[in-house]
Amino acid sequence: MKKNILQSLALVLICSFSLSVSRAQQTARPKKPNIIMLISDDTGWGDLGVYGGGVGRGMPTPNLDRMAKEGMQFWDFYGQPSCTPGRAAMITGRIPNRSGMTTVAFQGQGGGLPAPEWTLASVLKKANYKTFFSGKWHLGEADYAMPIAHGFDIMKNVVLYHLNAYTAAFPSWNPDMGPKVLAFFQKATTGVLEGEAGGKAREVSKVTEENIAELDMMMTDNVIKQLDSYAQGKDPFFMCVNFAKNHQPNLPSKQFVGKSPAKSKYADCVVEMDSNVGRVMDEIRKLGIDKNTIVIYTVDNGAWQDVHPDAGYTPFRGSKGTDREGGSRVPAIAWWPGQIQAGSDSHDIVGGLDLMATFAGLAGVELPKNDREGKPIIFDSYDMSNVLFKTGQPLRDRWFYFTESELSPGAVRVKQYKAVFNTRGDNGALAGSDMPGQQLGWRGNETYVATVPAVYNLWQDPQERYDLFMNSFTEKTWTMPVFNKAIQDLMKTYIDYPPRPLQSETYTGPETINKFRTIQEAKKMLEQKGIRLPNDVKE
């Protein structure tokens, strides 16, 4: 009897010791870890195997599936409704209308990410990180808007636009264009860039019909070389790797043409992208830096259903360009062996905006109170560490949705409830609907509800099909004060931190006579007080 008691006590002591060692190992987090972002373009929420796609959609994704099994998979992770705002939000930690980066930029428009903005790279430089950018930038053409002007030491294999912007300069793609217009596009379209901080970006080659399909393959080759170089040193590093695919028109590398079971261009490009992710991940493991490196994979925006069948899949309502879930909810995976629990899931509200506060926290850097010109600045980023490492409650409980012209959000989510004011693209993903057309997706009318929003419970109804604001089953009118308070808190920040001017062009609705006259009268009143506005001021 006494022997059994002693054995039991010994077993308890051993278990307690093992548990304490395990906890100690889990909390002994390396300071200033290496940080790698892997971002693909327009990839659908349901395209990857771990999200129900993969083999089931004729496009196996074994490398991303493995990354999820070894790390954390996010189910409520948000980007923005389109490319430029999605990338601006991630790189600045600010909602896109604060930086003016709300619309998709085309060649010849100039401008770009304002010089005073902080980026992930410029913040991490405060902690002496080496910084590298590669792939799709899509945040402007001006010298002040280049990656090397925003904290990146090196930029390589950089392309400034979405893929279909390049095909505009290809004669075989647009034979009806005419020689003058074709010449304009060929002159205005910047090719592949590289450069170093303190200098100007150099165009190393044009994007041609022959090399456009190989952009991601060439980029990954150089990313691996850079990884090898960084692994030789002692300084922490930050790499932002941006695949140009899966943006329409999907042009798979010659190594991947017909390689997917689906035999479609989109599926081939998903397989190619997954393979390139695998190449990077394998190199991290081979170099032995995996225990000191956090890797985040995500996407800039929701799937672009308007271009079906050359498009990704989302089970949610709406698509890219809308304030519905299909416009902004994206796949995301976080990987850090020994720190992030393998095979874990997160259903917390997080998004690309939160990478800024998270990376700054991992690097031991406080977010700046002023922009790079000394003016007060506000971030919309929340540190995800509690979620990543399961050490506490998430800091975020809401998400704001914006299309390209919205200062007040077109939709807002607080916990599981979502209010929708902007109903653009309403039928984009309804079961049984016709193939998405102009009225169904990004190109649909910008329409708004009258008086009150539609309210959805995203836990019960992630497809936003059943409006609960007031019906015969239940009523959720009590949610309105909650949504209104969330929006009021956001709108108040614009007073102390005014949004920057728009940095690219878009159609923002008709210029009405009343609107024009109101602006003119306002200018007269201001001039009477000695305040003169520029002639090109717009509402």
Side-chain angles (χ1 to χ4, degrees):
M1 182 71 175
K2 187 176 180 180
K3 183 179 180 182
N4 289 340
I5 292 173
L6 290 172
Q7 286 177 337
S8 298
L9 285 172
L11 185 61
V12 168
L13 288 171
I14 290 170
C15 290
S16 299
F17 177 76
S18 299
L19 185 61
S20 64
V21 169
S22 176
R23 285 176 177 167
Q25 289 173 340
Q26 192 174 21
T27 55
R29 192 170 306 131
K31 295 181 179 179
K32 296 186 182 181
N34 306 317
I35 301 170
I36 299 176
M37 287 174 63
L38 302 174
I39 302 168
S40 61
D41 202 1
D42 281 14
T43 310
W45 190 91
D47 288 343
L48 311 184
V50 291
Y51 285 92
V55 174
R57 296 202 62 236
M59 50 184 83
T61 56
N63 296 292
L64 285 162
D65 296 351
R66 177 183 175 184
M67 186 178 175
K69 289 174 183 175
E70 294 177 355
M72 176 175 285
Q73 180 178 0
F74 294 92
W75 297 90
D76 288 67
F77 195 99
Y78 289 95
Q80 300 291 322
S82 60
C83 304
T84 295
R87 292 165 189 279
M90 278 190 276
I91 205 111
T92 66
R94 285 155 48 84
I95 54 178
N97 58 39
R98 296 197 193 279
S99 62
M101 304 300 293
T102 64
T103 62
V104 173
F106 283 81
Q107 61 265 58
Q109 292 182 333
L113 189 64
E117 288 288 332
W118 288 98
T119 68
L120 294 170
S122 55
V123 167
L124 289 174
K125 289 301 293 181
K126 290 176 171 288
N128 298 316
Y129 272 67
K130 302 292 186 184
T131 53
F132 174 86
F133 186 92
S134 193
K136 181 180 176 181
W137 177 240
H138 214 180
L139 296 176
E141 298 175 306
D143 288 342
Y144 66 78
M146 290 293 105
I148 51 175
H150 280 283
F152 287 98
D153 300 323
I154 302 170
M155 55 182 275
K156 189 158 287 200
N157 295 98
V158 172
V159 290
L160 299 184
Y161 325 107
H162 43 288
L163 284 182
N164 59 306
Y166 291 101
T167 60
F170 299 164
S172 63
W173 281 70
N174 297 290
D176 58 334
M177 186 179 281
K180 287 186 178 179
V181 178
L182 178 62
F184 162 77
F185 275 104
Q186 290 177 337
K187 183 178 180 181
T189 304
T190 303
V192 181
L193 297 175
E194 66 178 31
E196 298 78 34
K200 283 193 173 185
R202 304 180 297 275
E203 185 179 72
V204 293
S205 70
K206 289 292 184 182
V207 176
T208 66
E209 295 182 75
E210 289 72 32
N211 69 15
I212 188 170
E214 306 304 324
L215 292 177
D216 283 355
M217 298 299 294
M218 293 186 293
M219 179 193 74
T220 305
D221 290 342
N222 282 318
V223 166
I224 290 172
K225 290 178 183 176
Q226 191 63 48
L227 256 178
D228 294 347
S229 174
Y230 280 150
Q232 303 303 315
K234 296 182 179 179
D235 293 323
F237 61 83
F238 167 56
M239 301 182 74
C240 189
V241 179
N242 299 262
F243 302 104
K245 302 166 189 178
N246 306 98
H247 197 287
Q248 177 269 346
N250 279 279
L251 300 169
S253 163
K254 59 186 177 183
Q255 299 179 46
F256 289 90
V257 173
K259 295 298 184 182
S260 69
K263 307 298 182 189
S264 72
K265 289 183 178 180
Y266 183 85
D268 289 349
C269 285
V270 169
V271 171
E272 176 188 342
M273 183 270 292
D274 179 79
S275 173
N276 283 327
V277 168
R279 292 170 65 198
V280 174
M281 298 301 293
D282 287 345
E283 194 68 13
I284 293 170
R285 297 182 186 99
K286 186 182 86 173
L287 292 169
I289 58 174
D290 50 320
K291 296 296 190 293
N292 195 40
T293 302
I294 180 171
V295 183
I296 302 282
Y297 164 81
T298 190
V299 183
D300 50 358
N301 51 254
W304 190 6
Q305 292 180 318
D306 293 16
V307 295
H308 179 84
D310 195 21
Y313 167 73
T314 176
F316 304 112
R317 190 169 183 171
S319 68
K320 176 179 179 178
T322 75
D323 287 326
R324 294 293 191 181
E325 289 298 285
S328 297
R329 205 187 288 204
V330 295
I333 301 166
W335 180 92
W336 189 358
Q339 302 300 325
I340 294 175
Q341 182 182 334
S344 55
D345 295 280
S346 170
H347 291 273
D348 297 305
I349 301 172
V350 288
L353 281 170
D354 298 326
L355 299 176
M356 173 64 85
T358 306
F359 293 170
L362 291 174
V365 178
E366 288 190 12
L367 290 181
K369 299 293 191 297
N370 296 314
D371 69 16
R372 295 169 76 191
E373 291 182 350
K375 296 178 181 177
I377 192 171
I378 188 173
F379 293 91
D380 303 286
S381 187
Y382 290 83
D383 192 338
M384 296 191 300
S385 294
N386 286 352
V387 173
L388 288 171
F389 309 117
K390 297 192 173 185
T391 54
Q393 294 299 312
L395 302 181
R396 179 189 287 285
D397 69 348
R398 62 197 58 190
W399 192 263
F400 297 105
Y401 307 71
F402 301 90
T403 58
E404 59 277 354
S405 61
E406 291 175 333
L407 188 60
S408 62
V412 55
R413 176 179 179 179
V414 179
K415 298 184 178 177
Q416 73 266 39
Y417 289 103
K418 179 178 179 181
V420 176
F421 303 94
N422 181 355
T423 58
R424 176 201 276 180
D426 238 7
N427 295 314
L430 289 182
S433 66
D434 293 333
M435 182 178 71
Q438 182 171 347
Q439 77 281 15
L440 301 178
W442 192 3
R443 296 168 294 161
N445 295 329
E446 193 94 80
T447 57
Y448 289 86
V449 297
T451 310
V452 296
V455 174
Y456 304 95
N457 183 332
L458 294 180
W459 287 357
Q460 297 174 342
D461 178 29
Q463 290 183 307
E464 302 170 82
R465 295 179 295 177
Y466 305 106
D467 179 6
L468 298 177
F469 186 82
M470 185 176 289
N471 58 35
S472 59
F473 165 68
T474 186
E475 64 89 14
K476 297 296 180 185
T477 55
W478 63 264
T479 59
M480 276 309 299
V482 177
F483 294 130
N484 287 342
K485 179 65 166 59
I487 294 171
Q488 286 170 8
D489 290 345
L490 170 69
M491 298 304 288
K492 286 177 183 176
T493 67
Y494 295 138
I495 298 171
D496 295 326
Y497 308 94
R500 303 189 195 279
L502 295 181
Q503 298 298 308
S504 54
E505 303 166 9
T506 187
Y507 178 69
T508 56
E511 184 69 32
T512 64
I513 294 172
N514 283 341
K515 184 178 176 182
F516 177 77
R517 291 181 64 180
T518 299
I519 294 172
Q520 296 305 308
E521 289 300 318
K523 289 173 72 173
K524 285 180 183 178
M525 292 173 64
L526 289 170
E527 286 172 5
Q528 289 173 3
K529 295 184 177 182
I531 302 172
R532 186 170 182 82
L533 298 179
N535 290 327
D536 63 347
V537 68
K538 295 180 180 179
E539 185 67 14

